[in-house]
Amino acid sequence: MTSANADIPNGPETLPEAPLRQSLLHIPPAAPFKNAASNYLKHDHQTIWSRNVRNLLKEPPGLVEATPRGSDIIVIHPGSRWIRVGRATDAFPVSVPHVLARKVTSNHKAPPQLIRVLKTNADEDAMDTDEIQEIANPAEVTECITTIRAALRSRMDFYRIPYEEDGSKEATIFNEGINTEEIDGAQDVYKVDWVTGQPEDAPDLDLDAKVFRLADPAASGYEVRWPMYNNHFNTRYYTSRQEALSDIEIMWKSIITQELGIPRAQFKNYSAVLVIPDYFDKQTVSHLVDMLLTQLDFKRVCIQQEGLAACVGSGLTTACIVDIGAVKTSVSCVEDGILLSDTRMLLDYGGDDITEFLHDLLKEIKFPYKNIKLNRLYDLHVMDDLKARLCTLSEADVASRAYDFFVRAPGKATEKYLLKAYDETIVAPMCIFEPKIIDFDSKKKVNPKRWDLGNIDDGDLGSENPTPAMIISTQHLLQPMGEGRTRPNIDVKFEAGKLPLDVAIFNSVRAAGNEKIKKFLQTVVVVGGTSLIPGAVHALESRLQAIAFPLVPNIERLQVLTTHPDVDPRVVTWKGVSIISKLESLSDLWITRSEWDILGMRCLRERSMIDRPTVLM
């Protein structure tokens, strides 16, 4: 021990180096930070969206696509009165009424089927609703109708078309002497097999066209419901969001399984494209997408707006789109495949208002079918048929003519009537250019405030904010601010929804910018069922020219178009989405369930072509 210590030199600095390292873990030296750089999350292919797309597109080598592109994509276009569903590869969609009848308790009071919201001197039996207690002032009604007839007379004088002062009086005398003609049931090829009473085997609910076979829904224990109204859920028929979504889920599932032949278990192998309004309600869109991904279990979902779809369906990339629906009319401008959010306008009238106005005008000239009530589904069908056959916007078609129509009521033989009308056939659709006849305050009253669905972050899309086009349309209601003056508090969206159609289109184009006014006015496309009215294109074009030519310098051409004669304007929006669904670029716009669970409505900021609006107020 002593000899070993004697061999060790004095001091620890002279100890020999250990033959083994103290740790087997490699400790790298410090990195030089002088020229350090990172590309982490600096490229689009590094985002979660791109990674998910690559994972979805992974296929075994040598796999050949055996089915056409888009055959696994279902396009869904819901509306207030109709819903159109079909595969992206179908030539035309399946169009069914967006309505259902559900069994209810005996003491439940159903709301009316059609809101009586015109400033017309209609009787309370025709209104059949307790929600509107006051009848409009007859003097105000007469003044509104006189104004419309004066505008018609002015246009007929301009085109040198004679106007018969006693045309309506002659029609009244003719209609008073009309007798009905009964048709034997064996000779009526369109005879309806009505459902009466309360059958023991009656289902809990009936869907689409079956609802119209109910003779008296209330007597059969059913309540007829339209789940969508305008751009949101129909709060007149439902007390909660869950109740409305339950009916919509049942309807959509039934249409896809029965009409398209896709079993419910196969939904997970299909993708869905949901068509939403241009001016959409973020709560409604959020819950519909959530229903498609969770309840119906679709593989992925894509969102497309109606204006862009109608533009593509018309074979254009730049246009001003006018979509006249049943209860609303939307106007927006599309430029190079992008819908400009600043130009969106939402007008609170549509084809149903024309139906109501025609009904009241015909009542004034002694309509032969005395017992008509628009709140009965079969009577509503009669008036819709008359609107489609009688209404026109061409002044050259104004003449005293006789028409026939059939009434198929439950428990009665089919009745044939003759009807004579003069200018009522053109005055009724002119309400879209003279909307003062519509009582917008009553319409707002009978549509209760939407349920409080909570605050939903839509990713700065500003889906519910007034657009610059709406603000431009209400500037005349805002007095200039000065000493002692305050700016009035008005509902911009509500007031902008009262505008005549031609004025709304011009204001929408103005919101796109002065340098783009001429471009959009050269291509105004009208779609929707109301565009089928003869003369609608010329009527709108002539009124737009009267507004634009004095105000827009050096404008050479203003043109209003409709769809190709071979394409139904009611399905052109669906056709446009079916085209978009088959594009390669759509692969960047799909939303999966995992992404939706994480981000919710914020997905639309990255996974849609929705333009960010300008925030002005």
Side-chain angles (χ1 to χ4, degrees):
M1 191 70 178
T2 303
S3 60
N5 291 337
D7 295 335
I8 299 177
N10 295 330
E13 64 278 359
T14 59
L15 289 175
E17 184 177 353
L20 298 175
R21 291 183 299 173
Q22 296 181 353
S23 174
L24 296 177
L25 179 64
H26 174 68
I27 301 177
F33 290 97
K34 182 177 181 180
N35 298 316
S38 174
N39 292 325
Y40 180 66
L41 291 182
K42 289 188 176 181
H43 299 282
D44 292 341
H45 67 273
Q46 296 174 329
T47 62
I48 184 176
W49 314 106
S50 181
R51 293 198 299 270
N52 289 341
V53 169
R54 291 198 299 270
N55 292 334
L56 289 174
L57 295 179
K58 284 183 179 179
E59 296 180 353
L63 181 63
V64 179
E65 186 177 4
T67 57
R69 181 185 296 272
S71 59
D72 61 341
I73 298 176
I74 299 176
V75 179
I76 304 174
H77 182 198
S80 301
R81 294 297 178 191
W82 293 85
I83 178 172
R84 312 189 194 279
V85 183
R87 293 182 178 87
T89 54
D90 294 341
F92 297 99
V94 175
S95 299
V96 296
H98 204 187
V99 63
L100 82 163
R102 181 178 285 277
K103 277 290 188 71
V104 293
T105 57
S106 58
N107 58 355
H108 181 81
K109 183 178 180 180
Q113 296 306 313
L114 197 62
I115 307 171
R116 304 294 297 141
V117 293
L118 296 178
K119 294 179 180 177
T120 51
N121 193 20
D123 53 26
E124 294 187 10
D125 291 337
M127 293 173 62
D128 197 19
T129 173
D130 296 332
E131 297 184 65
I132 303 177
Q133 301 293 341
E134 299 180 359
I135 302 297
N137 186 1
E140 183 181 2
V141 172
T142 304
E143 181 182 356
C144 291
I145 297 178
T146 303
T147 301
I148 297 177
R149 283 199 161 105
L152 172 62
R153 177 70 179 269
S154 176
R155 290 178 62 87
M156 294 182 69
D157 291 343
F158 177 80
Y159 293 114
R160 298 182 179 181
I161 300 174
Y163 182 84
E164 299 179 17
E165 297 290 347
D166 297 332
S168 296
K169 293 182 180 179
E170 295 178 1
T172 302
I173 297 174
F174 178 87
N175 294 332
E176 285 181 333
I178 290 298
N179 296 321
T180 62
E181 177 186 350
E182 292 188 358
I183 299 178
D184 185 71
Q187 299 178 357
D188 185 8
V189 295
Y190 297 104
K191 182 180 179 181
V192 180
D193 185 14
W194 297 101
V195 177
T196 59
Q198 297 187 8
E200 297 181 357
D201 58 344
D204 291 336
L205 59 89
D206 278 330
L207 303 174
D208 49 73
K210 300 177 184 177
V211 176
F212 294 91
R213 295 175 51 242
L214 294 172
D216 188 350
S220 301
Y222 286 96
E223 178 187 348
V224 178
R225 299 176 176 179
W226 305 84
M228 300 292 293
Y229 182 85
N230 206 319
N231 62 345
H232 51 78
F233 296 127
N234 196 341
T235 55
R236 296 172 55 241
Y237 294 95
Y238 300 97
T239 57
S240 66
R241 168 180 57 84
Q242 291 79 4
E243 187 180 6
L245 283 172
S246 175
D247 282 353
I248 294 175
E249 178 187 350
I250 293 174
M251 292 178 62
W252 294 11
K253 180 177 65 176
S254 174
I255 294 171
I256 295 173
T257 54
Q258 297 180 12
E259 302 292 341
L260 301 185
I262 302 175
R264 173 64 180 85
Q266 296 297 323
F267 284 9
K268 61 183 179 181
N269 299 326
Y270 285 82
S271 304
V273 180
L274 178 65
V275 187
I276 65 174
D278 301 336
Y279 191 79
F280 59 90
D281 175 65
K282 63 181 181 181
Q283 285 93 352
T284 302
V285 173
S286 173
H287 294 298
L288 289 179
V289 173
D290 186 74
M291 180 194 69
L292 290 173
L293 289 173
T294 57
Q295 274 72 39
L296 295 182
D297 196 26
F298 280 102
K299 179 171 59 176
R300 50 188 181 174
V301 171
C302 178
I303 301 295
Q304 295 294 332
Q305 290 178 288
E306 291 177 338
L308 173 59
C311 187
V312 175
S314 302
L316 302 170
T317 58
T318 300
C320 177
I321 304 297
V322 182
D323 188 352
I324 309 177
V327 301
K328 70 175 178 66
T329 299
S330 60
V331 184
S332 58
C333 296
V334 179
E335 182 181 28
D336 297 331
I338 299 296
L339 189 144
L340 305 181
S341 296
D342 291 349
T343 64
R344 295 173 299 167
M345 290 284 293
L346 182 64
L347 306 178
D348 197 13
Y349 53 79
D352 283 354
D353 298 283
I354 298 177
T355 303
E356 296 182 34
F357 194 20
L358 177 64
H359 163 267
D360 294 309
L361 289 173
L362 294 181
K363 295 277 282 189
E364 293 293 330
I365 59 172
K366 306 301 180 181
F367 189 55
Y369 179 29
K370 307 294 184 182
N371 196 32
I372 185 171
K373 294 183 180 180
L374 293 185
N375 288 316
R376 295 188 299 214
L377 292 177
Y378 55 86
D379 283 348
L380 179 61
H381 177 73
V382 170
M383 193 54 59
D384 279 335
D385 177 68
L386 286 174
K387 178 183 70 172
R389 295 194 296 117
L390 271 63
C391 284
T392 179
L393 281 169
S394 174
E395 291 79 8
D397 294 337
V398 178
S400 184
R401 298 178 181 175
Y403 309 89
D404 61 352
F405 64 95
F406 300 86
V407 175
R408 296 174 177 86
K412 298 180 180 180
T414 301
E415 297 177 337
K416 179 182 179 180
Y417 291 87
L418 282 179
L419 164 70
K420 199 170 189 178
Y422 179 55
D423 63 352
E424 291 77 14
T425 59
I426 191 173
V427 170
M430 281 182 66
C431 68
I432 63 177
F433 302 114
E434 303 285 344
K436 290 184 179 180
I437 191 65
I438 301 174
D439 193 349
F440 293 99
D441 294 329
S442 295
K443 183 177 285 193
K444 185 178 182 179
K445 184 189 303 182
V446 298
N447 285 280
K449 185 179 179 181
R450 289 170 292 166
W451 316 297
D452 184 11
L453 303 180
N455 186 20
I456 297 178
D457 184 8
D458 61 357
D460 300 327
L461 294 179
S463 56
E464 295 182 341
N465 297 328
T467 64
M470 297 178 181
I471 297 174
I472 291 174
S473 303
T474 55
Q475 287 296 321
H476 63 286
L477 300 176
L478 301 176
Q479 299 177 355
M481 296 182 65
E483 185 177 355
R485 290 185 176 183
T486 58
R487 188 177 295 274
N489 184 19
I490 64 172
D491 188 344
V492 174
K493 293 184 289 185
F494 176 70
E495 296 296 336
K498 301 179 181 181
L499 286 183
L501 180 58
D502 49 340
V503 178
I505 294 173
F506 186 71
N507 289 340
S508 174
V509 172
R510 287 174 58 197
N514 294 332
E515 69 281 357
K516 300 179 182 180
I517 292 180
K518 298 179 184 178
K519 177 171 61 175
F520 288 121
L521 287 178
Q522 290 176 356
T523 312
V524 179
V525 180
V526 184
V527 299
T530 306
S531 65
L532 292 172
I533 296 178
V537 171
H538 174 72
L540 179 57
E541 183 176 273
S542 59
R543 288 171 170 83
L544 269 179
Q545 289 174 348
I547 297 175
F549 284 168
L551 299 178
V552 181
N554 302 324
I555 184 171
E556 299 177 356
R557 183 171 64 101
L558 188 152
Q559 188 176 15
V560 178
L561 307 172
T562 186
T563 58
H564 191 274
D566 295 336
V567 180
D568 189 344
R570 294 170 293 186
V571 303
V572 67
T573 300
W574 185 94
K575 290 286 291 183
V577 177
S578 68
I579 295 172
I580 297 174
S581 302
K582 290 177 283 189
L583 298 178
E584 187 71 29
S585 58
L586 195 73
S587 60
D588 297 331
L589 304 179
W590 290 111
I591 300 173
T592 62
R593 181 172 180 177
S594 60
E595 295 167 351
W596 182 260
D597 291 340
I598 297 173
L599 300 174
M601 279 290 287
R602 288 177 294 172
C603 289
L604 298 186
R605 183 171 54 187
E606 301 290 342
R607 310 295 276 182
S608 71
M609 295 186 290
I610 300 177
D611 181 41
R612 275 56 168 179
T614 303
V615 180
L616 296 180
M617 51 182 308

